[in-house]
Every structure is written in C-alpha cells, then in structure tokens.
C-alpha cells in the first residue's frame, strides 16, 4: 500500500489507502513518476492517477510519433512533463518518487528485424528499464512494470490448436502445452524458445524486476499485457492495430490489408480498454503488499476479442464508412494466428476483470477520433 505525505515524497511512512481502489487518504498522496508518460498507456495512466489526487510527473523522449500531441493534455490535467530519455540516468528527476510506473518502450514486435538494428530496442527496453529500477532502488520507490504477452515463445504460440470459423480462428479446449486452453494463455505457459527481440527485452526486464525485489526489497508488480487499446492510441501497422483500423475507416484512408494466414483476416487478439487497465493499476498500487512479486497476464480475455475481419465489420458499422481491405497471404515474422489472455490468476486474486466490451472500446476510439479529427489526422493516416 502506498500513501505518503506530499511534503516528504518518497520518504514518508506507508499508510493504508482509504478505498479499495487506492484513492489517497485525505492529505496523503503519493508522488508518481510515469516513464513513457507521453505514450498511449503512460499518458492515460498519468492523467487518471493525477485525477486521483497524486502528484504525477511524466518522463518521455517523444520517440513515438504522436506522443507529442499528449503534452498539452498532460499539462491541462496538471501532470508535469520532463523531456527525457530513460537510457540516460541524468535525465531522471533528482527528487524521489513513491512509485515508478514503467510505461516507456519501443513497443513494436517487429523492431530489430528487416535490416533494423535492435540497438535502440535493447537500450530502451532493457538497459533503460534497468535505469528505472536503479532510480526505484535509490529512492525505495514501488515499481509497476508494463510487460507483454510477447514474453511467450512464438513457435509454441503458433503451434496452438485452433479451428477455423467463418470469421475467426478459435482456440481449441485441448492444447499441447500447459497454461493453454480454450480460455487462452495463462502464466503457466512455458517460456522456452525465441519470442521476438521485443519479447526478449521484456522478459529480461521482468527478471531484473524480480532481482531488484529480492536484492533491494522494492515492491513490484509485473503486468503481461495483451493488446491494450482505446482513445489516444496513435495506432500504426506494427502496434496499435485496433486504433489504426478505426482511424483508416474514419478518414477513408484505406491502405489496410489482411496480412498472413491466407490473407483472410481471421487472426484474433483480445483487446483491453485502457480504462480497464487503469482500474487494475489503481487497485495494485493502492495495495502493493497484496500484489508485490506478482506476474499477471492481463487482457480482454475471450469475451473481449476480435479477428481482423470482425474488426472491419465493427469499423464499418460504427463509422458508416467502407474501405477496401487488401489481402496478402504471406505470414510475417513474429506474427501469431491467435492470442487470448487467460486472466484467471489476477481475477482470482482481486476480482478484477475487464468491464468494457470490444464494441464499446471501438466506439470510444471512434468518438475520440471524431472529437479530435484535425489534431490526429496526420499521425493516424501517415
Ligand atoms: N499498447 C499495447 O497494446 C501494449 C501491449 C503490451 C505491452 N505494452 C507495454 O506498455 C507500455 C506502453 O506501451 P504504449 O502502447 O503506451 O506504447 P507507446 O509507444 O504509445 O508509448 C511508449 C512511450 O515511450 C516513449 N519512449 C520510447 N523510448 C523511450 C526512451 N528511451 N526514453 C523515454 N521514453 C521513451 C515513447 O516516446 C512513447 O511515448 C510499453 O512498455 C509496452 O511494451 C503495451
């Protein structure tokens, strides 16, 4: 549990939070450093944490195209912004923080392939995360790490048994690996095998989170997120596909294709609304004693999942626009046919489960684009 006096950030004694959702007690707030705080997840969490009464500082190097659009929103919400790079220790604030929310990353699963150097990916997602842990160690900060379902190895995920329905691939109930079932992938899924360079940086970081807990006693939780989406996601082809799909429909921008697995768009992902992720992070940070040391699969689950074809249908229905979708049967490196999060462990521990459905989530993305059309058009159609 965190709740530290504002006048002594990072050094005050712990007091129980007032509510089950970790809202600060009267006069007690925590100071939070959100790394990657201008990104999709970071900016949304930062603003909502600020709304709960905490002092929040967002640090970001603005590498992601479109993150700069969040600076004005952060300022309006009262979140302080530091233009800094987690690869550089000297870019971190000098004062202590009670909590570090590590949301920075090169989040693309294709990074480092196709002639790209993996250097930026490794230096940010691994060395940079270790810098964040060092910051937390120096100031005895609590630590929340946004990891990914991509820590699970590709070959095993690709070899899951699935059937082919009219609009989507469906995981079968009986699977060849532990931790896999018709409900999706749980934390018991085996970790051996290549997982993508991105996934490797995240898994290695998870291991350092564990070591820092053990060696230095910092409290930490790891959330292995499936696809997270919602308003203010600057979707691109290799990351943020649901926001991208809606944007291309909204602006009638076209240039979309079903890529891989025969080019029919039957590949499936679950999707988690950013507000559902916030509900969980608020719960965790309000009672870190309970969640400390936990590694959790976090996603929309089977009930909140879409194939690309189904996504197209929803985008057509919601936007009223129909665009041509191309087809390329060849499967790209690091792609997988179906990923569904089994959230059983986190639900059992604290009762959290996603509340926003797939259609509601896509509608929220539509509303956001339509209310910010001029601002986001260039980024979302580039
Ligand atoms: N969005 C998803 O579907 C999803 C799924 C699983 C895990 N995650 C994880 O959640 C976190 C947030 O992802 P997101 O979707 O908000 O991505 P994002 O790209 O929108 O945000 C990441 C932010 O980090 C910043 N950044 C990159 N390199 C940096 C550096 N060296 N120093 C400082 N800032 C840097 C970027 O400018 C960007 O604003 C990441 O750790 C990602 O791996 C996201």
């Amino acid at each position: 549990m965190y709740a530290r006096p504002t006048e002594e950030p990072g050094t005050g004694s712990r007091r129980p939070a007032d509510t089950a959702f970790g809202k600060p007690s009267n006069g007690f707030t925590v100071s939070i450093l959100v790394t990657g705080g201008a990104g999709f997840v970071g900016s949304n969490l930062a603003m909502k944490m600020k709304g709960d009464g905490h002092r929040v500082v967002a640090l970001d190097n603005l590498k992601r195209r479109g993150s700069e659009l969040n600076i004005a929103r952060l300022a309006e919400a009262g979140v302080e912004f530091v233009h800094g790079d987690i690869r550089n220790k000297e870019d971190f604030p000098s004062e202590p923080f009670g909590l570090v929310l590590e949301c920075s990353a090169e989040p693309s699963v294709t990074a480092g392939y196709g002639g790209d150097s993996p250097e930026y990916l490794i230096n940010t997602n691994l060395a940079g995360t270790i810098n964040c842990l060092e910051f937390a160690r120096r100031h005895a900060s609590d630590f929340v790490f946004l990891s990914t379902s991509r820590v699970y190895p590709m070959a095993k995920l690709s070899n899951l048994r699935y059937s082919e329905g009219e609009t989507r691939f469906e995981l079968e109930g009986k699977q060849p690996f532990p931790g896999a079932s018709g409900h999706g992938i749980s934390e018991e899924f085996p970790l051996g095998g290549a997982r993508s360079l991105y996934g490797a940086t995240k898994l290695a970081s998870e291991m350092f989170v564990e070591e820092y807990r053990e060696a230095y006693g910092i409290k930490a939780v790891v959330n292995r997120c499936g696809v997270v989406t919602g308003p203010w996601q600057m979707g691109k082809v290799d990351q943020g596909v649901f926001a991208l799909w809606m944007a291309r429909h909204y602006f009638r921008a076209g240039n979309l294709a079903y890529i891989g697995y025969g080019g029919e768009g039957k590949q499936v992902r679950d999707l988690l609304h950013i507000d559902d992720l916030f509900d969980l992070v608020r719960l965790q940070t309000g009672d870190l004693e309970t969640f400390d040391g936990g590694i959790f699969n976090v996603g929309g689950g089977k009930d909140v999942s879409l194939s690309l074809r189904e996504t197209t249908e929803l985008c057509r229905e919601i936007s009223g626009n129909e665009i041509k979708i191309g087809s390329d049967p060849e499967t790209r490196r690091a792609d997988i046919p179906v990923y569904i999060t089994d959230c059983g462990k986190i639900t059992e521990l604290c009762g959290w489960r996603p509340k926003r459905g797939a259609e509601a989530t896509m509608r929220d993305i539509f509303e956001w684009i339509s209310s910010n059309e001029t601002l986001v058009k260039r980024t979302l159609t580039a």
Side-chain angles (χ1 to χ4, degrees):
M1 272 168 261
Y2 66 71
R4 294 174 183 173
T6 0
E7 57 273 19
E8 289 180 83
T11 55
S13 61
R14 285 157 192 271
R15 293 180 35 154
D18 252 2
T19 74
F21 291 102
K23 285 203 170 186
S25 315
N26 267 353
F28 283 85
T29 57
V30 70
S31 52
I32 305 174
L33 178 65
V34 184
T35 48
F40 163 57
V41 171
S43 64
N44 278 295
L45 295 187
M47 288 168 64
K48 285 173 187 296
M49 286 293 192
K50 179 68 192 173
D52 274 356
H54 305 293
R55 179 188 169 220
V56 185
V57 173
L59 182 146
D60 201 296
N61 71 351
L62 303 180
K63 166 87 164 30
R64 174 74 178 252
R65 192 192 64 213
S67 288
E68 70 284 355
L69 302 179
N70 285 320
I71 293 174
R73 292 173 64 226
L74 290 168
E76 208 173 306
V79 174
E80 296 155 60
F81 178 70
V82 173
H83 189 196
D85 194 310
I86 63 161
R87 294 172 300 169
N88 305 329
K89 282 187 183 157
E90 60 278 13
D91 285 1
F92 283 74
S94 51
E95 78 270 28
F97 285 77
L99 170 71
V100 176
L101 267 181
E102 216 303 57
C103 303
S104 65
E106 165 49 72
S108 169
V109 76
T110 60
Y113 297 116
D116 266 10
S117 160
E119 205 175 351
Y120 184 84
L121 175 82
I122 294 167
N123 287 341
T124 291
N125 293 13
L126 178 53
T129 299
I130 293 171
N131 283 340
C132 296
L133 280 166
E134 267 299 286
F135 181 83
R137 179 186 68 78
R138 282 201 304 279
H139 302 302
S141 322
D142 296 336
F143 201 83
V144 174
F145 181 55
L146 270 286
S147 189
T148 171
S149 56
R150 288 303 195 146
V151 298
Y152 298 115
M154 274 178 303
K156 290 196 175 72
L157 290 176
S158 299
N159 284 323
L160 291 174
R161 293 196 187 110
Y162 60 89
S163 56
E164 189 170 341
E166 203 156 300
T167 62
R168 61 158 64 198
F169 300 137
E170 292 270 9
L171 282 181
E172 290 180 5
K174 202 166 159 26
Q175 293 291 343
F177 308 110
S181 72
H183 300 295
I185 307 303
S186 81
E187 299 80 357
E188 304 302 313
F189 198 76
L191 285 166
R195 67 209 79 245
S196 78
L197 291 156
Y198 166 66
T201 58
K202 288 293 194 172
L203 184 61
S205 290
E206 285 187 10
M207 293 169 83
F208 276 96
V209 172
E210 189 56 44
E211 295 304 328
Y212 270 66
R213 273 190 69 252
E214 181 65 25
Y216 310 117
I218 64 170
K219 292 199 169 35
V221 63
V222 171
N223 293 316
R224 287 181 179 160
C225 300
V227 173
V228 185
T229 192
W232 296 98
Q233 184 169 40
M234 306 301 169
K236 52 194 182 101
V237 174
D238 55 337
Q239 209 254 354
V241 69
F242 291 108
L244 175 83
W245 222 259
M246 180 56 86
R248 293 288 165 88
H249 279 81
Y250 183 91
F251 292 112
R252 296 175 199 265
N255 208 13
L256 291 178
Y258 300 135
I259 299 174
Y261 307 100
E264 293 188 76
K266 291 188 178 178
Q267 54 268 61
V268 171
R269 299 289 185 272
D270 60 349
L271 53 155
L272 183 69
H273 194 296
I274 182 69
D275 291 351
D276 277 318
L277 178 62
F278 170 68
D279 288 346
L280 176 64
V281 170
R282 182 155 70 168
L283 200 57
Q284 292 172 330
T285 53
D287 183 12
L288 215 51
E289 301 281 348
T290 298
F291 296 91
D292 181 32
I295 295 181
F296 303 104
N297 283 2
V298 170
K302 193 178 175 193
D303 293 343
V304 192
S305 65
L306 289 171
S307 71
L308 280 179
R309 268 169 105 108
E310 293 163 352
T311 309
T312 300
E313 277 312 307
L314 264 183
C315 289
R316 282 181 182 163
E317 196 183 305
I318 295 168
S319 71
N321 294 338
E322 194 164 327
I323 58 171
K324 189 172 167 345
I325 314 276
S327 170
D328 175 354
E330 203 175 314
T331 303
R332 300 274 158 90
R333 185 198 277 271
D335 203 358
I336 45 174
V338 46
Y339 188 88
I340 301 284
T341 310
D342 181 342
C343 302
K345 180 178 172 186
I346 188 74
T347 302
E348 196 173 317
L349 179 66
C350 65
W352 174 89
R353 64 179 77 240
K355 288 195 237 142
R356 286 95 180 161
E359 182 174 342
T361 303
M362 295 305 288
R363 283 192 190 277
D364 272 6
I365 295 171
F366 173 82
E367 293 300 335
W368 157 63
I369 297 172
S370 120
S371 315
N372 295 276
E373 194 180 311
T374 318
L375 184 69
V376 300
K377 182 172 182 180
R378 213 161 66 165
T379 305
L380 289 174
T381 55

